[in-house]
Amino acid sequence: MGKVIVVTSGKGGVGKTTSSAALGAALAQNGDKVVVVDFDVGLRNLDLVMGAERRVVYDLVNVIQGEAKLTQALIRDKRLESLYLLPASQTRDKDNLTAEGVEKVVGALKTHFDWVICDSPAGIERGATLAMRHADVAIVVTNPEVSSVRDSDRIIGLLDSKTAKAEAGERIEKHLLLTRYDPARAERGDMLKVDDVLEILSIPLLGIIPESMDVLRASNIGSPVTLADERSAPAIAYFDAVRRLKGESLPVTIPGEKRGFFGKFFGRKAA
Amino acid sequence: MTAVLTQPRPIRLKGRSYLALTLTPELPFEDWLVRLDDLAGRSAGFFLRRPVVLDVEGLEIDRAQLRDLVGRLGTRNVRIMGIEGARPSMLGNDLPPAMSGGKATGDIEEPAAAAASEPPAAAPAPVESTAEIPAAPLPTTGAPTSIVVTQPVRSGQSIFTEGDITILGSVASGAEVIAGGSIHIYGTLRGRAMAGTLGNAAARIFCRKLEAEMVAIDGFYKTAEELEPGLRGKPAQFWLEGETFTAGSMA
């Protein structure tokens, strides 16, 4: 049985889709079988970021409505043969996502893949709650600024109350992925500090992704950043995040805070 | 409530008590409304969809003045569900119904409320047509219970109990904690804390780090702007001295 991960944030534009694609690709680069599911019905983007927009035939809504089989809708990545995409519908309304339909699709994907990554839409409405509904693990994507942190806090509250696991009295595993971290702005003090974000959200830190042109460039060429340039700073940060996700204990480096001649990393314990 | 039933299938009438905010207007209303607007302005949505009772006990006003006041509150989105302390002659069909028997303190004594699931029709302050009252996050049943919250209180969550609340973690910005008794927060208070809401002026609020949006005790409140700047980020407590909202450090 695979693990279901929801990538969520509450706020829009913080990097959910970028992170879903990058983490999915990184997991697949390790040889795991991965499917990334776009839950943003009506505003789909994941196909673009993964460079599959010209191969979309059927989508999640078609599968839920019984108009297509799951195997027909899944798109295999051209570069990584263990990476798949289940695109969202751009034309349908998000009301077409039914709770039963989502449960069936996610349940079926779990039996075929090691990881099912659900890319949640922004907000706390139906699309977002359905994306998190059957998750085993949540990755909360947050930017180091107050509105994003407060929205993430709201989402964590929903993860603890509205998911199938929470309703069964279990606890959903939650990780914080701090994205768009800008060392220059952090130095000037016009960004929330990592410790402050951790203190407010009090969930373990999965990784810090630096703000980088590499991310933008990768999106524009339709490639997850972990595939586009494996040695770029954000790609390395995503690879490290994946190692932590798989249970490895790896200290988190704060970008721009390397110390000493040998770049002695600053060990950091997550909350 | 105890009408003789002649139909074979009676309509079920049950008494139920609810917690409502009580507003106590003061004369002249013009000045009082200015202060109310000030509160609402700083705490947007504070009255929105909450049941509010107007307590006009001891006010020398007539029916027209009362109706005018209810109307002006209505334009501020403060919906009055009932009026307490008004003379019967002041109320009519065009005004919310009279309420009585409201309990200002936390003691819940009526046996009906303590009894099991469905007590027979006998409860104070019968509120009929409950459908009109939007769900407030404030359930009230049984004796005052105190609770311990081991998880952080997240933004958007609202916690209420009639007794004391102890929170081991933090209260997030946009979260609220409402207690009939005192509130103890061992983390950071970033949201709202309202203690003594059932009329307990001896209730206090304690937190290990103060970043609150608002604190209130027994209806007296302070917003973030009015809090002593020196207490920000520090361990703090709040209590009432007479009618003075007092804050102090706990160092």
Side-chain angles (χ1 to χ4, degrees), chain B residues 184-218:
Chain B
H184 308 258
I185 299 163
Y186 285 90
T188 307
L189 170 59
R190 297 190 179 86
R192 294 173 170 182
M194 293 175 243
T197 49
L198 301 176
N200 180 1
R204 291 190 179 212
I205 297 170
F206 307 87
C207 63
R208 208 157 72 172
K209 192 173 170 195
L210 179 70
E211 302 283 352
E213 288 166 351
M214 190 182 86
V215 281
I217 297 173
D218 189 17

Side-chain angles (χ1 to χ4, degrees), chain A residues 26-265:
Chain A
L27 282 164
Q29 278 163 286
N30 284 333
D32 290 356
K33 213 175 167 201
V34 183
V35 60
V36 191
V37 188
D38 192 349
F39 272 84
D40 205 347
V41 173
L43 287 170
R44 77 169 188 222
N45 282 149
L46 191 60
D47 53 329
L48 288 170
V49 174
M50 292 181 66
E53 73 278 9
R54 290 150 65 131
R55 294 193 288 144
V56 174
V57 183
Y58 295 110
D59 56 51
L60 178 61
V61 169
N62 292 137
V63 177
I64 284 177
Q65 307 260 298
E67 295 153 359
K69 291 203 190 79
L70 194 50
T71 45
Q72 291 177 295
L74 285 170
I75 302 171
R76 175 185 279 196
D77 190 87
K78 277 187 171 161
R79 298 145 295 201
L80 288 167
E81 61 172 30
S82 63
L83 178 62
Y84 287 78
L85 163 71
L86 181 55
S89 171
Q90 183 71 347
T91 49
R92 303 293 191 89
D93 195 86
K94 62 177 181 299
D95 293 340
N96 287 309
L97 287 182
T98 62
E100 306 77 46
V102 169
E103 185 175 3
K104 232 171 88 186
V105 170
V106 171
L109 290 172
K110 254 168 89 166
T111 60
H112 291 100
F113 291 90
D114 300 320
W115 302 92
V116 181
I117 300 180
C118 304
D119 180 22
S120 169
I124 51 173
E125 312 298 326
R126 187 184 181 81
T129 48
L130 281 176
M132 68 169 72
R133 179 84 197 148
H134 303 285
D136 304 302
V137 180
I139 295 178
V140 181
V141 181
T142 306
N143 292 165
E145 48 104 13
V146 281
S147 56
S148 173
V149 171
R150 192 206 263 180
D151 290 359
S152 292
D153 194 66
R154 180 89 167 90
I155 280 289
I156 296 169
L158 294 178
L159 286 166
D160 283 336
S161 59
K162 294 277 198 277
T163 51
K165 273 209 154 183
E167 284 174 8
E170 295 169 57
R171 286 189 59 72
I172 180 167
E173 198 184 306
K174 298 176 291 281
H175 299 279
L176 174 67
L177 188 66
L178 206 56
T179 53
R180 311 194 68 167
Y181 186 87
D182 186 340
R185 285 183 57 211
E187 202 155 299
R188 288 201 303 273
D190 55 4
M191 217 172 56
L192 277 181
K193 291 200 190 73
V194 176
D195 283 344
D196 290 343
V197 179
L198 284 175
E199 211 260 310
I200 294 172
L201 296 179
S202 50
I203 56 172
L205 182 61
L206 188 68
I208 304 174
I209 314 298
E211 172 87 306
S212 164
M213 281 308 288
D214 296 320
V215 176
L216 203 64
R217 210 174 298 128
S219 291
N220 282 336
I221 61 167
S223 168
V225 69
T226 43
L227 267 176
D229 182 358
E230 291 188 23
R231 278 180 298 179
S232 65
I236 291 169
Y238 277 118
F239 282 122
D240 284 353
V242 158
R243 287 168 68 188
R244 290 184 200 100
L245 189 63
K246 295 177 96 172
E248 213 172 306
S249 161
L250 198 69
V252 178
T253 340
I254 297 184
E257 238 183 58
K258 292 169 190 166
R259 302 190 161 194
F261 285 106
F262 305 103
K264 192 166 68 184
F265 292 162

Side-chain angles (χ1 to χ4, degrees), chain B residues 24-48:
Chain B
T24 315
E26 293 162 25
L27 288 169
F29 288 151
E30 287 298 337
D31 295 359
W32 183 78
L33 284 166
V34 167
R35 279 180 280 152
L36 183 80
D37 287 346
D38 188 41
L39 163 65
R42 273 172 302 163
S43 186
F46 185 71
F47 291 105
L48 206 63

